[in-house]
Amino acid sequence: MKQLTAIIQPYRLDDVRDALNEIGIHGMTVSEVKGFGRQKGHTELYRGAEYLIDFIPKIQIDIVLTDDHVDRAIEAICSAAQSGHIGDGKIFIKPIERVIRIRTGETDESAV
């Protein structure tokens, strides 16, 4: 099993969720996060004063998947989140050792 973490633009969340639903992935955790990469922030004008915005708002999606679903999930996220501009985001894949569903006690793939 793997944990897929995707950092995407906030306005792309609905498209990514729909793309994942189409391939049968329904469960995910979504968090509002802030960060920066190559963008290194930007400046905004507020009441005539210029402010440096160091951290850009993003959305983090966490999904635990069986190994056979990972490649399809990556393709779905990339196709739905890609605009071709800097700041589209990143996907990280990490191994998961064990999963336990608290309500039923199911473990590993049956708990996902």
Side-chain angles (χ1 to χ4, degrees), residues 8-28:
I8 63 169
Q9 296 280 4
Y11 68 92
R12 295 288 185 168
L13 177 59
D14 289 336
D15 295 336
V16 170
R17 183 189 59 215
D18 293 343
L20 290 169
N21 278 331
E22 285 179 21
I23 63 168
I25 297 171
H26 304 291
M28 65 187 72

Side-chain angles (χ1 to χ4, degrees), residues 54-94:
D54 290 332
F55 294 99
I56 313 251
K58 301 285 185 174
I59 294 292
Q60 178 175 316
I61 301 171
D62 290 303
I63 310 166
V64 175
L65 305 163
T66 58
D67 291 341
D68 57 326
H69 285 95
V70 172
D71 290 334
R72 290 188 322 183
I74 291 169
E75 290 173 18
I77 292 168
C78 285
S79 67
Q82 185 179 36
S83 71
H85 297 99
I86 192 167
D88 278 349
K90 288 196 171 61
I91 298 174
F92 304 95
I93 310 295
K94 298 175 269 190

